[in-house]
PDB file of all heavy atoms in Angstrom:
ATOM      1  N   ALA G 163      83.886-156.649 -93.119  1.00 88.00           N
ATOM      2  CA  ALA G 163      83.888-156.025 -91.795  1.00 88.00           C
ATOM      3  C   ALA G 163      83.106-154.706 -91.811  1.00 88.00           C
ATOM      4  O   ALA G 163      82.334-154.421 -90.900  1.00 88.00           O
ATOM      5  CB  ALA G 163      85.321-155.797 -91.323  1.00 88.00           C
ATOM      6  N   ARG G 164      83.325-153.905 -92.846  1.00 90.00           N
ATOM      7  CA  ARG G 164      82.660-152.601 -92.940  1.00 90.00           C
ATOM      8  C   ARG G 164      81.149-152.764 -93.110  1.00 90.00           C
ATOM      9  O   ARG G 164      80.356-152.130 -92.437  1.00 90.00           O
ATOM     10  CB  ARG G 164      83.204-151.829 -94.136  1.00 90.00           C
ATOM     11  CG  ARG G 164      84.670-151.486 -94.093  1.00 90.00           C
ATOM     12  CD  ARG G 164      84.895-150.058 -93.643  1.00 90.00           C
ATOM     13  NE  ARG G 164      85.076-150.015 -92.214  1.00 90.00           N
ATOM     14  CZ  ARG G 164      86.217-150.335 -91.618  1.00 90.00           C
ATOM     15  NH1 ARG G 164      87.268-150.699 -92.309  1.00 90.00           N
ATOM     16  NH2 ARG G 164      86.307-150.301 -90.314  1.00 90.00           N
ATOM     17  N   VAL G 165      80.784-153.619 -94.071  1.00 91.00           N
ATOM     18  CA  VAL G 165      79.366-153.811 -94.376  1.00 91.00           C
ATOM     19  C   VAL G 165      78.623-154.355 -93.157  1.00 91.00           C
ATOM     20  O   VAL G 165      77.553-153.861 -92.801  1.00 91.00           O
ATOM     21  CB  VAL G 165      79.198-154.770 -95.577  1.00 91.00           C
ATOM     22  CG1 VAL G 165      77.732-155.110 -95.798  1.00 91.00           C
ATOM     23  CG2 VAL G 165      79.781-154.139 -96.848  1.00 91.00           C
ATOM     24  N   ILE G 166      79.213-155.357 -92.526  1.00 92.00           N
ATOM     25  CA  ILE G 166      78.550-156.001 -91.386  1.00 92.00           C
ATOM     26  C   ILE G 166      78.397-155.026 -90.225  1.00 92.00           C
ATOM     27  O   ILE G 166      77.329-154.929 -89.625  1.00 92.00           O
ATOM     28  CB  ILE G 166      79.325-157.263 -90.961  1.00 92.00           C
ATOM     29  CG1 ILE G 166      79.152-158.341 -92.034  1.00 92.00           C
ATOM     30  CG2 ILE G 166      78.863-157.748 -89.611  1.00 92.00           C
ATOM     31  CD1 ILE G 166      80.059-159.548 -91.846  1.00 92.00           C
ATOM     32  N   ARG G 167      79.418-154.297 -89.942  1.00 92.00           N
ATOM     33  CA  ARG G 167      79.371-153.370 -88.807  1.00 92.00           C
ATOM     34  C   ARG G 167      78.328-152.267 -89.074  1.00 92.00           C
ATOM     35  O   ARG G 167      77.541-151.917 -88.186  1.00 92.00           O
ATOM     36  CB  ARG G 167      80.750-152.748 -88.566  1.00 92.00           C
ATOM     37  CG  ARG G 167      80.797-151.681 -87.490  1.00 92.00           C
ATOM     38  CD  ARG G 167      80.484-152.212 -86.106  1.00 92.00           C
ATOM     39  NE  ARG G 167      80.560-151.161 -85.107  1.00 92.00           N
ATOM     40  CZ  ARG G 167      79.883-151.144 -83.964  1.00 92.00           C
ATOM     41  NH1 ARG G 167      79.056-152.145 -83.681  1.00 92.00           N
ATOM     42  NH2 ARG G 167      80.000-150.163 -83.122  1.00 92.00           N
ATOM     43  N   ALA G 168      78.310-151.729 -90.267  1.00 92.00           N
ATOM     44  CA  ALA G 168      77.356-150.671 -90.602  1.00 92.00           C
ATOM     45  C   ALA G 168      75.915-151.181 -90.517  1.00 92.00           C
ATOM     46  O   ALA G 168      75.015-150.498 -90.017  1.00 92.00           O
ATOM     47  CB  ALA G 168      77.645-150.111 -91.997  1.00 92.00           C
ATOM     48  N   LEU G 169      75.740-152.405 -90.981  1.00 92.00           N
ATOM     49  CA  LEU G 169      74.410-153.007 -90.933  1.00 92.00           C
ATOM     50  C   LEU G 169      74.004-153.292 -89.502  1.00 92.00           C
ATOM     51  O   LEU G 169      72.865-153.031 -89.092  1.00 92.00           O
ATOM     52  CB  LEU G 169      74.420-154.308 -91.756  1.00 92.00           C
ATOM     53  CG  LEU G 169      73.089-154.884 -92.236  1.00 92.00           C
ATOM     54  CD1 LEU G 169      72.265-153.827 -92.954  1.00 92.00           C
ATOM     55  CD2 LEU G 169      73.356-156.074 -93.157  1.00 92.00           C
ATOM     56  N   GLU G 170      74.948-153.790 -88.729  1.00 92.00           N
ATOM     57  CA  GLU G 170      74.696-154.085 -87.310  1.00 92.00           C
ATOM     58  C   GLU G 170      74.221-152.831 -86.576  1.00 92.00           C
ATOM     59  O   GLU G 170      73.191-152.853 -85.890  1.00 92.00           O
ATOM     60  CB  GLU G 170      75.999-154.613 -86.670  1.00 92.00           C
ATOM     61  CG  GLU G 170      75.903-154.821 -85.157  1.00 92.00           C
ATOM     62  CD  GLU G 170      77.288-154.993 -84.512  1.00 92.00           C
ATOM     63  OE1 GLU G 170      78.299-154.980 -85.238  1.00 92.00           O
ATOM     64  OE2 GLU G 170      77.340-155.096 -83.266  1.00 92.00           O
ATOM     65  N   VAL G 171      74.951-151.751 -86.746  1.00 92.00           N
ATOM     66  CA  VAL G 171      74.607-150.515 -86.037  1.00 92.00           C
ATOM     67  C   VAL G 171      73.269-149.962 -86.523  1.00 92.00           C
ATOM     68  O   VAL G 171      72.412-149.562 -85.714  1.00 92.00           O
ATOM     69  CB  VAL G 171      75.721-149.458 -86.241  1.00 92.00           C
ATOM     70  CG1 VAL G 171      75.301-148.114 -85.676  1.00 92.00           C
ATOM     71  CG2 VAL G 171      77.018-149.925 -85.589  1.00 92.00           C
ATOM     72  N   SER G 172      73.063-149.970 -87.830  1.00 92.00           N
ATOM     73  CA  SER G 172      71.800-149.434 -88.377  1.00 92.00           C
ATOM     74  C   SER G 172      70.598-150.219 -87.866  1.00 92.00           C
ATOM     75  O   SER G 172      69.569-149.636 -87.513  1.00 92.00           O
ATOM     76  CB  SER G 172      71.834-149.452 -89.903  1.00 92.00           C
ATOM     77  OG  SER G 172      72.877-148.644 -90.385  1.00 92.00           O
ATOM     78  N   LEU G 173      70.727-151.531 -87.816  1.00 91.00           N
ATOM     79  CA  LEU G 173      69.638-152.370 -87.359  1.00 91.00           C
ATOM     80  C   LEU G 173      69.341-152.133 -85.878  1.00 91.00           C
ATOM     81  O   LEU G 173      68.183-152.004 -85.467  1.00 91.00           O
ATOM     82  CB  LEU G 173      69.969-153.853 -87.580  1.00 91.00           C
ATOM     83  CG  LEU G 173      69.879-154.342 -89.040  1.00 91.00           C
ATOM     84  CD1 LEU G 173      70.486-155.732 -89.182  1.00 91.00           C
ATOM     85  CD2 LEU G 173      68.414-154.344 -89.509  1.00 91.00           C
ATOM     86  N   LEU G 174      70.399-152.065 -85.079  1.00 90.00           N
ATOM     87  CA  LEU G 174      70.234-151.899 -83.629  1.00 90.00           C
ATOM     88  C   LEU G 174      69.671-150.526 -83.282  1.00 90.00           C
ATOM     89  O   LEU G 174      68.831-150.393 -82.394  1.00 90.00           O
ATOM     90  CB  LEU G 174      71.567-152.110 -82.928  1.00 90.00           C
ATOM     91  CG  LEU G 174      72.092-153.558 -82.868  1.00 90.00           C
ATOM     92  CD1 LEU G 174      73.524-153.581 -82.343  1.00 90.00           C
ATOM     93  CD2 LEU G 174      71.208-154.436 -81.997  1.00 90.00           C
ATOM     94  N   ALA G 175      70.168-149.512 -83.999  1.00 90.00           N
ATOM     95  CA  ALA G 175      69.791-148.145 -83.640  1.00 90.00           C
ATOM     96  C   ALA G 175      68.451-147.751 -84.243  1.00 90.00           C
ATOM     97  O   ALA G 175      67.773-146.852 -83.722  1.00 90.00           O
ATOM     98  CB  ALA G 175      70.883-147.178 -84.106  1.00 90.00           C
ATOM     99  N   GLY G 176      68.080-148.397 -85.340  1.00 90.00           N
ATOM    100  CA  GLY G 176      66.854-148.025 -86.000  1.00 90.00           C
ATOM    101  C   GLY G 176      67.003-146.774 -86.840  1.00 90.00           C
ATOM    102  O   GLY G 176      66.029-146.278 -87.426  1.00 90.00           O
ATOM    103  N   VAL G 177      68.187-146.235 -86.885  1.00 91.00           N
ATOM    104  CA  VAL G 177      68.499-145.089 -87.751  1.00 91.00           C
ATOM    105  C   VAL G 177      69.785-145.400 -88.495  1.00 91.00           C
ATOM    106  O   VAL G 177      70.538-146.287 -88.077  1.00 91.00           O
ATOM    107  CB  VAL G 177      68.666-143.778 -86.941  1.00 91.00           C
ATOM    108  CG1 VAL G 177      67.344-143.367 -86.313  1.00 91.00           C
ATOM    109  CG2 VAL G 177      69.738-143.948 -85.880  1.00 91.00           C
ATOM    110  N   PRO G 178      70.056-144.685 -89.590  1.00 91.00           N
ATOM    111  CA  PRO G 178      71.274-144.977 -90.345  1.00 91.00           C
ATOM    112  C   PRO G 178      72.536-144.804 -89.514  1.00 91.00           C
ATOM    113  O   PRO G 178      72.646-143.870 -88.714  1.00 91.00           O
ATOM    114  CB  PRO G 178      71.236-143.944 -91.477  1.00 91.00           C
ATOM    115  CG  PRO G 178      69.796-143.597 -91.624  1.00 91.00           C
ATOM    116  CD  PRO G 178      69.229-143.658 -90.240  1.00 91.00           C
ATOM    117  N   TYR G 179      73.444-145.722 -89.731  1.00 91.00           N
ATOM    118  CA  TYR G 179      74.760-145.686 -89.098  1.00 91.00           C
ATOM    119  C   TYR G 179      75.430-144.330 -89.312  1.00 91.00           C
ATOM    120  O   TYR G 179      75.955-143.728 -88.380  1.00 91.00           O
ATOM    121  CB  TYR G 179      75.590-146.813 -89.721  1.00 91.00           C
ATOM    122  CG  TYR G 179      77.052-146.877 -89.405  1.00 91.00           C
ATOM    123  CD1 TYR G 179      77.510-147.276 -88.161  1.00 91.00           C
ATOM    124  CD2 TYR G 179      78.010-146.587 -90.395  1.00 91.00           C
ATOM    125  CE1 TYR G 179      78.853-147.392 -87.895  1.00 91.00           C
ATOM    126  CE2 TYR G 179      79.355-146.691 -90.131  1.00 91.00           C
ATOM    127  CZ  TYR G 179      79.787-147.093 -88.886  1.00 91.00           C
ATOM    128  OH  TYR G 179      81.130-147.196 -88.629  1.00 91.00           O
ATOM    129  N   SER G 180      75.332-143.848 -90.540  1.00 90.00           N
ATOM    130  CA  SER G 180      76.010-142.581 -90.875  1.00 90.00           C
ATOM    131  C   SER G 180      75.461-141.412 -90.069  1.00 90.00           C
ATOM    132  O   SER G 180      76.178-140.450 -89.784  1.00 90.00           O
ATOM    133  CB  SER G 180      75.870-142.294 -92.374  1.00 90.00           C
ATOM    134  OG  SER G 180      74.502-142.298 -92.754  1.00 90.00           O
ATOM    135  N   SER G 181      74.195-141.491 -89.652  1.00 90.00           N
ATOM    136  CA  SER G 181      73.596-140.383 -88.907  1.00 90.00           C
ATOM    137  C   SER G 181      74.110-140.340 -87.473  1.00 90.00           C
ATOM    138  O   SER G 181      73.920-139.356 -86.755  1.00 90.00           O
ATOM    139  CB  SER G 181      72.071-140.505 -88.898  1.00 90.00           C
ATOM    140  OG  SER G 181      71.677-141.606 -88.095  1.00 90.00           O
ATOM    141  N   LEU G 182      74.754-141.414 -87.036  1.00 89.00           N
ATOM    142  CA  LEU G 182      75.238-141.477 -85.650  1.00 89.00           C
ATOM    143  C   LEU G 182      76.680-141.015 -85.504  1.00 89.00           C
ATOM    144  O   LEU G 182      77.172-140.806 -84.408  1.00 89.00           O
ATOM    145  CB  LEU G 182      75.128-142.920 -85.133  1.00 89.00           C
ATOM    146  CG  LEU G 182      73.704-143.480 -85.044  1.00 89.00           C
ATOM    147  CD1 LEU G 182      73.746-144.958 -84.680  1.00 89.00           C
ATOM    148  CD2 LEU G 182      72.879-142.719 -84.032  1.00 89.00           C
ATOM    149  N   LEU G 183      77.357-140.873 -86.640  1.00 87.00           N
ATOM    150  CA  LEU G 183      78.751-140.475 -86.587  1.00 87.00           C
ATOM    151  C   LEU G 183      78.855-138.947 -86.489  1.00 87.00           C
ATOM    152  O   LEU G 183      78.360-138.237 -87.344  1.00 87.00           O
ATOM    153  CB  LEU G 183      79.489-140.962 -87.846  1.00 87.00           C
ATOM    154  CG  LEU G 183      79.498-142.478 -88.054  1.00 87.00           C
ATOM    155  CD1 LEU G 183      80.252-142.823 -89.336  1.00 87.00           C
ATOM    156  CD2 LEU G 183      80.129-143.191 -86.875  1.00 87.00           C
ATOM    157  N   THR G 184      79.478-138.492 -85.426  1.00 82.00           N
ATOM    158  CA  THR G 184      79.575-137.041 -85.238  1.00 82.00           C
ATOM    159  C   THR G 184      80.788-136.442 -85.955  1.00 82.00           C
ATOM    160  O   THR G 184      80.830-135.266 -86.225  1.00 82.00           O
ATOM    161  CB  THR G 184      79.703-136.691 -83.739  1.00 82.00           C
ATOM    162  OG1 THR G 184      80.916-137.254 -83.249  1.00 82.00           O
ATOM    163  CG2 THR G 184      78.530-137.236 -82.970  1.00 82.00           C
ATOM    164  N   LYS G 185      81.795-137.285 -86.209  1.00 78.00           N
ATOM    165  CA  LYS G 185      83.005-136.814 -86.879  1.00 78.00           C
ATOM    166  C   LYS G 185      83.767-135.774 -86.061  1.00 78.00           C
ATOM    167  O   LYS G 185      84.691-135.146 -86.543  1.00 78.00           O
ATOM    168  CB  LYS G 185      82.685-136.210 -88.260  1.00 78.00           C
ATOM    169  CG  LYS G 185      82.089-137.203 -89.241  1.00 78.00           C
ATOM    170  CD  LYS G 185      83.176-138.074 -89.869  1.00 78.00           C
ATOM    171  CE  LYS G 185      82.557-139.054 -90.885  1.00 78.00           C
ATOM    172  NZ  LYS G 185      83.490-140.113 -91.263  1.00 78.00           N
ATOM    173  N   SER G 186      83.337-135.563 -84.839  1.00 81.00           N
ATOM    174  CA  SER G 186      84.038-134.561 -84.026  1.00 81.00           C
ATOM    175  C   SER G 186      84.894-135.258 -82.974  1.00 81.00           C
ATOM    176  O   SER G 186      84.556-136.325 -82.494  1.00 81.00           O
ATOM    177  CB  SER G 186      83.037-133.634 -83.345  1.00 81.00           C
ATOM    178  OG  SER G 186      82.255-134.379 -82.441  1.00 81.00           O
ATOM    179  N   LYS G 187      86.000-134.624 -82.659  1.00 86.00           N
ATOM    180  CA  LYS G 187      86.900-135.184 -81.665  1.00 86.00           C
ATOM    181  C   LYS G 187      86.486-134.711 -80.268  1.00 86.00           C
ATOM    182  O   LYS G 187      86.204-133.541 -80.074  1.00 86.00           O
ATOM    183  CB  LYS G 187      88.336-134.737 -81.943  1.00 86.00           C
ATOM    184  CG  LYS G 187      88.897-135.277 -83.256  1.00 86.00           C
ATOM    185  CD  LYS G 187      90.311-134.744 -83.482  1.00 86.00           C
ATOM    186  CE  LYS G 187      90.891-135.337 -84.768  1.00 86.00           C
ATOM    187  NZ  LYS G 187      92.249-134.819 -85.049  1.00 86.00           N
ATOM    188  N   THR G 188      86.494-135.645 -79.353  1.00 88.00           N
ATOM    189  CA  THR G 188      86.206-135.280 -77.965  1.00 88.00           C
ATOM    190  C   THR G 188      87.427-134.591 -77.377  1.00 88.00           C
ATOM    191  O   THR G 188      88.542-135.045 -77.546  1.00 88.00           O
ATOM    192  CB  THR G 188      85.911-136.546 -77.144  1.00 88.00           C
ATOM    193  OG1 THR G 188      84.866-137.265 -77.787  1.00 88.00           O
ATOM    194  CG2 THR G 188      85.501-136.182 -75.731  1.00 88.00           C
ATOM    195  N   GLU G 189      87.196-133.455 -76.700  1.00 89.00           N
ATOM    196  CA  GLU G 189      88.309-132.747 -76.059  1.00 89.00           C
ATOM    197  C   GLU G 189      88.659-133.452 -74.751  1.00 89.00           C
ATOM    198  O   GLU G 189      87.789-133.724 -73.922  1.00 89.00           O
ATOM    199  CB  GLU G 189      87.902-131.295 -75.767  1.00 89.00           C
ATOM    200  CG  GLU G 189      88.041-130.386 -76.981  1.00 89.00           C
ATOM    201  CD  GLU G 189      89.490-130.247 -77.445  1.00 89.00           C
ATOM    202  OE1 GLU G 189      90.370-130.028 -76.595  1.00 89.00           O
ATOM    203  OE2 GLU G 189      89.724-130.361 -78.671  1.00 89.00           O
TER     204      GLU G 189
END
Side-chain angles (χ1 to χ4, degrees):
Chain G
R164 297 260 93 79
V165 173
I166 289 170
R167 175 65 179 152
L169 199 52
E170 174 195 358
V171 172
S172 298
L173 285 169
L174 288 171
V177 293
Y179 171 73
S180 55
S181 70
L182 297 173
L183 299 179
T184 63
K185 297 280 182 194
S186 64
K187 295 178 177 179
T188 306
E189 278 296 313

